[in-house]
Amino acid sequence: MNVLDKIVQTKKEEVAYQKSVISIDDLIKSSYFDRNCHSTVKNLEEAAPYGIISEFKRKSPSKGIINNKVDVAEVAKGYCQAGASAISILTDQDYFGGSIEDLQRARKHMSCPVLRKDFIIDEYQVYKTKAIGADLMLLIAAILTKDEIVRFTDLAHQLGLEVLLEIHNEEEFHEGYYEAVDILGVNNRDLKRFKTTIQNSIDLAKILPKEQLKISESGISSTKEMDILAAEGYKGFLIGEQFMKHADPANELKKFMTTQMVKG
């Protein structure tokens, strides 16, 4: 079993337990369920020259502890104030040190769109994503069939959520791409070997639909790299570790945003 297989197995057990505790009918009664979601798509399209989805991530299987000393609400609020197009919150506990409560706490303190970053494998999690106050949902092509991607995307749209579909290679694009997804993300990190390079986004840009809103994820550490990727058609970037490895993640994002404005 590679790391991704282990995560999916753990997630199946987690979802089965959650279903036994809280039903979909109960999720629908959540105070967040009827709220109008904020649009990450709109923010990315209006960002100049590109937007940043900044991430709150305490740890990862490949890096271990990144930063477990900062408060999620303070960081998320700071990210929003610094000009992030959206905030990504890890809600996987076992492998990334996140939680549903992290996302809910962040939601209360800001008006930016929130991406629930987790391993979605069941329709139940789509309802859960809406119920906890997220605006955007991650689907990972590497762990889903095309039918699941279609079903989960259509359900998310029915609930008012936007969908970010993440691919890692050409095979995943051809087998899993669904034109209805709102954002297509290229992850520069191989989730099986955890090797990271932005060349992955550059190479894949050649085969991706030009009209599709695209972002590049992972391994981005400078505005120079973002400029290179923007020239390849990427309108946004999901960045976590580059900010989270510092004592004040929001201030690091602010530096990135200031550099963008100076260039603009």
Side-chain angles (χ1 to χ4, degrees):
M1 262 193 182
N2 59 46
V3 174
L4 189 57
D5 291 334
K6 291 178 181 178
I7 291 174
V8 171
Q9 182 57 45
T10 302
K11 196 60 57 175
K12 288 178 180 178
E13 297 169 3
E14 177 186 309
V15 173
Y17 172 74
Q18 290 178 349
K19 284 181 174 180
S20 71
V21 176
I22 304 175
S23 69
I24 289 178
D25 286 341
D26 289 332
L27 292 176
I28 292 174
K29 296 174 185 175
S30 161
S31 60
Y32 284 123
F33 211 83
D34 292 328
R35 66 179 281 271
N36 293 322
C37 292
H38 303 299
S39 176
T40 303
V41 170
K42 181 175 182 291
N43 284 0
L44 287 174
E45 289 178 338
E46 293 179 353
Y50 39 71
I52 295 176
I53 299 176
S54 50
E55 186 163 87
F56 183 89
K57 177 167 63 174
R58 292 189 179 88
K59 69 175 187 177
S60 73
S62 62
K63 299 291 185 179
I65 298 296
I66 299 170
N67 188 339
N68 61 359
K69 299 184 183 301
V70 290
D71 179 74
V72 63
E74 291 182 5
V75 172
K77 184 178 179 180
Y79 277 159
C80 192
Q81 292 174 338
S85 294
I87 314 299
S88 172
I89 306 287
L90 271 295
T91 57
D92 175 81
Q93 183 170 6
D94 292 316
Y95 296 90
F96 290 87
S99 69
I100 296 297
E101 290 72 24
D102 279 344
L103 194 149
Q104 291 174 315
R105 286 194 62 222
R107 171 83 286 156
K108 291 179 181 178
H109 291 86
M110 60 173 188
S111 59
C112 287
V114 179
L115 163 65
R116 181 192 181 187
K117 198 170 186 197
D118 209 317
F119 298 82
I120 304 296
I121 56 169
D122 192 288
E123 288 183 351
Y124 178 88
Q125 294 168 284
V126 183
Y127 286 97
K128 185 83 169 182
T129 299
K130 176 68 173 180
I132 63 176
D135 305 282
L136 176 66
M137 180 183 73
L138 175 68
L139 294 180
I140 302 174
I143 62 174
L144 299 170
T145 65
K146 177 64 174 288
D147 178 67
E148 288 171 328
I149 291 169
V150 170
R151 287 192 291 111
F152 297 167
T153 296
D154 290 348
L155 175 58
H157 287 166
Q158 290 173 25
L159 300 180
L161 295 164
E162 292 179 334
V163 175
L164 164 61
L165 175 64
E166 177 181 287
I167 64 169
H168 300 82
N169 53 49
E170 186 172 349
E171 180 182 4
E172 289 175 11
F173 169 70
H174 289 305
E175 294 185 359
Y177 179 61
Y178 179 37
E179 295 84 354
V181 299
D182 302 282
I183 305 170
L184 181 63
V186 175
N187 195 328
N188 299 311
R189 178 176 292 119
D190 184 327
L191 289 183
K192 295 180 180 178
R193 294 177 298 168
F194 284 94
K195 180 182 178 181
T196 305
T197 171
I198 67 164
Q199 188 64 40
N200 194 47
S201 284
I202 295 172
D203 293 341
L204 285 177
K206 298 174 177 59
I207 66 166
L208 303 182
K210 295 188 182 302
E211 67 278 6
Q212 174 70 64
L213 181 63
K214 297 179 285 292
I215 67 169
S216 180
E217 311 170 28
S218 301
I220 300 162
S221 59
S222 69
T223 52
K224 180 180 179 180
E225 289 173 328
M226 289 191 286
D227 289 341
I228 292 170
L229 292 167
E232 297 292 336
Y234 293 93
K235 194 65 176 71
F237 307 96
L238 194 153
I239 305 175
E241 183 184 338
Q242 179 63 24
F243 302 144
M244 287 297 297
K245 67 184 181 182
H246 295 276
D248 187 347
N251 189 55
E252 292 304 310
L253 170 62
K254 187 176 181 180
K255 292 178 183 177
F256 264 63
M257 301 302 291
T258 300
T259 302
Q260 279 186 239
M261 288 187 286
V262 170
K263 288 189 301 182

